[in-house]
CSV table of all heavy atoms in Angstrom, one decimal:
chain,number,residue,atom,x,y,z
A,318,ALA,N,-13.9,-11.4,-2.5
A,318,ALA,CA,-13.5,-10.2,-3.2
A,318,ALA,C,-13.7,-9.0,-2.4
A,318,ALA,O,-14.5,-9.0,-1.5
A,318,ALA,CB,-14.3,-10.1,-4.5
A,319,ALA,N,-12.9,-7.9,-2.7
A,319,ALA,CA,-13.1,-6.7,-2.0
A,319,ALA,C,-14.5,-6.1,-2.1
A,319,ALA,O,-15.1,-6.3,-3.2
A,319,ALA,CB,-12.0,-5.7,-2.5
A,320,GLY,N,-14.9,-5.4,-1.1
A,320,GLY,CA,-16.2,-4.7,-1.2
A,320,GLY,C,-17.3,-5.5,-0.4
A,320,GLY,O,-18.3,-4.9,0.0
A,323,LYS,N,-16.3,-4.8,3.8
A,323,LYS,CA,-15.6,-3.6,3.7
A,323,LYS,C,-14.8,-3.3,5.0
A,323,LYS,O,-13.8,-2.6,5.0
A,323,LYS,CB,-16.5,-2.4,3.4
A,323,LYS,CG,-16.8,-2.3,1.9
A,323,LYS,CD,-17.5,-1.0,1.6
A,323,LYS,CE,-18.2,-1.0,0.2
A,323,LYS,NZ,-17.2,-0.9,-0.9
A,342,GLY,N,-12.1,-4.4,2.8
A,342,GLY,CA,-12.1,-3.1,2.2
A,342,GLY,C,-12.9,-3.0,1.0
A,342,GLY,O,-13.7,-3.9,0.7
A,343,THR,N,-12.7,-2.0,0.2
A,343,THR,CA,-11.7,-1.0,0.2
A,343,THR,C,-11.8,0.0,1.3
A,343,THR,O,-12.9,0.6,1.5
A,343,THR,CB,-11.7,-0.3,-1.2
A,343,THR,OG1,-11.5,-1.2,-2.2
A,343,THR,CG2,-10.7,0.8,-1.2
A,377,SER,N,-7.7,-4.0,1.0
A,377,SER,CA,-7.7,-3.2,-0.2
A,377,SER,C,-7.7,-1.8,0.2
A,377,SER,O,-8.5,-1.4,1.1
A,377,SER,CB,-9.0,-3.6,-1.0
A,377,SER,OG,-9.2,-2.6,-2.0
A,410,ASN,N,-6.4,-0.5,-4.9
A,410,ASN,CA,-7.7,-0.4,-5.7
A,410,ASN,C,-7.6,0.9,-6.6
A,410,ASN,O,-7.8,2.0,-6.2
A,410,ASN,CB,-8.9,-0.3,-4.8
A,410,ASN,CG,-10.2,-0.3,-5.6
A,410,ASN,OD1,-10.2,-0.4,-6.8
A,410,ASN,ND2,-11.3,-0.1,-4.9
A,455,LYS,N,-5.1,-3.8,-8.4
A,455,LYS,CA,-6.4,-4.3,-9.0
A,455,LYS,C,-6.7,-3.4,-10.2
A,455,LYS,O,-6.8,-2.2,-10.1
A,455,LYS,CB,-7.5,-4.2,-7.9
A,455,LYS,CG,-8.8,-4.8,-8.5
A,455,LYS,CD,-9.8,-5.0,-7.4
A,455,LYS,CE,-11.1,-5.5,-8.0
A,455,LYS,NZ,-12.1,-5.8,-6.9
A,481,SER,N,-9.9,-7.6,-12.8
A,481,SER,CA,-11.3,-7.7,-12.5
A,481,SER,C,-12.1,-7.6,-13.9
A,481,SER,O,-11.8,-6.7,-14.7
A,481,SER,CB,-11.7,-6.5,-11.6
A,481,SER,OG,-13.1,-6.4,-11.6
A,482,GLY,N,-12.9,-8.6,-14.1
A,482,GLY,CA,-13.6,-8.7,-15.4
A,482,GLY,C,-15.1,-8.2,-15.1
A,482,GLY,O,-15.5,-7.9,-14.0
A,484,ALA,N,-18.8,-8.6,-14.4
A,484,ALA,CA,-19.6,-9.6,-13.7
A,484,ALA,C,-20.6,-10.2,-14.6
A,484,ALA,O,-21.0,-11.4,-14.4
A,484,ALA,CB,-20.2,-9.0,-12.5
A,512,VAL,N,-11.0,-12.0,-10.9
A,512,VAL,CA,-12.3,-11.8,-10.3
A,512,VAL,C,-13.3,-11.3,-11.3
A,512,VAL,O,-12.9,-10.5,-12.2
A,512,VAL,CB,-12.1,-10.8,-9.1
A,512,VAL,CG1,-11.4,-9.5,-9.5
A,512,VAL,CG2,-13.4,-10.5,-8.4
A,513,GLY,N,-14.5,-11.7,-11.1
A,513,GLY,CA,-15.6,-11.2,-12.0
A,513,GLY,C,-16.3,-12.4,-12.6
A,513,GLY,O,-15.7,-13.1,-13.4
A,514,GLY,N,-17.6,-12.6,-12.2
A,514,GLY,CA,-18.4,-13.6,-12.9
A,514,GLY,C,-18.2,-15.0,-12.5
A,514,GLY,O,-18.7,-15.9,-13.2
A,515,ILE,N,-17.5,-15.3,-11.3
A,515,ILE,CA,-17.3,-16.7,-10.9
A,515,ILE,C,-18.6,-17.2,-10.1
A,515,ILE,O,-18.9,-16.6,-9.1
A,515,ILE,CB,-16.0,-16.8,-10.1
A,515,ILE,CG1,-14.9,-16.6,-11.0
A,515,ILE,CG2,-16.0,-18.1,-9.3
A,515,ILE,CD1,-13.5,-16.5,-10.4
A,516,ARG,N,-19.1,-18.2,-10.7
A,516,ARG,CA,-20.4,-18.8,-10.1
A,516,ARG,C,-20.4,-20.3,-9.9
A,516,ARG,O,-21.2,-20.8,-9.2
A,516,ARG,CB,-21.6,-18.3,-10.9
A,516,ARG,CG,-21.9,-16.9,-10.8
A,516,ARG,CD,-23.0,-16.4,-11.7
A,516,ARG,NE,-23.4,-15.1,-11.4
A,516,ARG,CZ,-22.7,-14.0,-11.6
A,516,ARG,NH1,-21.5,-14.1,-12.3
A,516,ARG,NH2,-23.1,-12.8,-11.3
A,533,GLN,N,-11.3,-14.7,-6.9
A,533,GLN,CA,-12.1,-14.0,-5.9
A,533,GLN,C,-13.6,-14.0,-6.4
A,533,GLN,O,-13.9,-14.0,-7.6
A,533,GLN,CB,-11.7,-12.6,-5.7
A,533,GLN,CG,-10.3,-12.5,-5.1
A,533,GLN,CD,-9.9,-11.0,-5.0
A,533,GLN,OE1,-10.2,-10.2,-5.8
A,533,GLN,NE2,-9.1,-10.7,-3.9
A,534,VAL,N,-14.5,-14.0,-5.4
A,534,VAL,CA,-15.9,-14.0,-5.7
A,534,VAL,C,-16.6,-13.0,-4.9
A,534,VAL,O,-16.3,-12.8,-3.7
A,534,VAL,CB,-16.5,-15.5,-5.5
A,534,VAL,CG1,-16.4,-15.9,-4.0
A,534,VAL,CG2,-17.9,-15.6,-6.0
A,535,TYR,N,-17.6,-12.4,-5.5
A,535,TYR,CA,-18.5,-11.4,-4.8
A,535,TYR,C,-20.0,-11.8,-5.2
A,535,TYR,O,-20.7,-12.4,-4.4
A,535,TYR,CB,-18.2,-10.0,-5.2
A,535,TYR,CG,-19.0,-9.0,-4.4
A,535,TYR,CD1,-18.3,-7.9,-3.7
A,535,TYR,CD2,-20.3,-9.0,-4.3
A,535,TYR,CE1,-19.0,-7.0,-3.0
A,535,TYR,CE2,-21.1,-8.0,-3.6
A,535,TYR,CZ,-20.4,-7.0,-2.9
A,535,TYR,OH,-21.0,-6.1,-2.2
A,536,SER,N,-20.4,-11.5,-6.4
A,536,SER,CA,-21.8,-11.7,-6.8
A,536,SER,C,-22.3,-13.1,-6.7
A,536,SER,O,-23.4,-13.3,-6.2
A,536,SER,CB,-22.0,-11.1,-8.2
A,536,SER,OG,-21.6,-9.8,-8.3
A,537,GLY,N,-21.4,-14.1,-7.0
A,537,GLY,CA,-21.8,-15.5,-7.0
A,537,GLY,C,-22.2,-15.9,-5.6
A,537,GLY,O,-23.1,-16.7,-5.3
B,851,FMN,C1,-21.7,-3.6,-4.3
B,851,FMN,C2,-20.2,-3.9,-4.7
B,851,FMN,C3,-19.2,-3.2,-4.0
B,851,FMN,C4,-17.9,-3.4,-4.3
B,851,FMN,N1,-16.9,-2.7,-3.6
B,851,FMN,C5,-15.6,-2.9,-4.0
B,851,FMN,C6,-14.6,-2.2,-3.3
B,851,FMN,O1,-14.8,-1.5,-2.3
B,851,FMN,N2,-13.3,-2.4,-3.7
B,851,FMN,C7,-13.0,-3.2,-4.8
B,851,FMN,O2,-11.8,-3.4,-5.1
B,851,FMN,N3,-14.0,-3.9,-5.5
B,851,FMN,C8,-15.3,-3.7,-5.1
B,851,FMN,N4,-16.2,-4.4,-5.8
B,851,FMN,C9,-15.9,-5.2,-7.0
B,851,FMN,C10,-15.7,-6.7,-6.6
B,851,FMN,O3,-14.6,-6.9,-5.7
B,851,FMN,C11,-15.5,-7.5,-7.8
B,851,FMN,O4,-14.3,-7.1,-8.5
B,851,FMN,C12,-16.7,-7.4,-8.8
B,851,FMN,O5,-17.9,-7.4,-8.2
B,851,FMN,C13,-16.6,-8.6,-9.8
B,851,FMN,O6,-16.8,-9.8,-9.2
B,851,FMN,P1,-18.2,-10.6,-9.1
B,851,FMN,O7,-18.6,-10.9,-10.5
B,851,FMN,O8,-17.8,-11.9,-8.4
B,851,FMN,O9,-19.1,-9.8,-8.4
B,851,FMN,C14,-17.6,-4.2,-5.4
B,851,FMN,C15,-18.6,-4.9,-6.1
B,851,FMN,C16,-19.9,-4.7,-5.7
B,851,FMN,C17,-21.0,-5.5,-6.5
Side-chain angles (χ1 to χ4, degrees):
K323 279 192 194 287
T343 297
S377 168
N410 182 6
K455 184 167 180 177
S481 171
V512 56
I515 288 172
R516 287 173 171 77
Q533 296 178 323
V534 64
Y535 186 127
S536 305

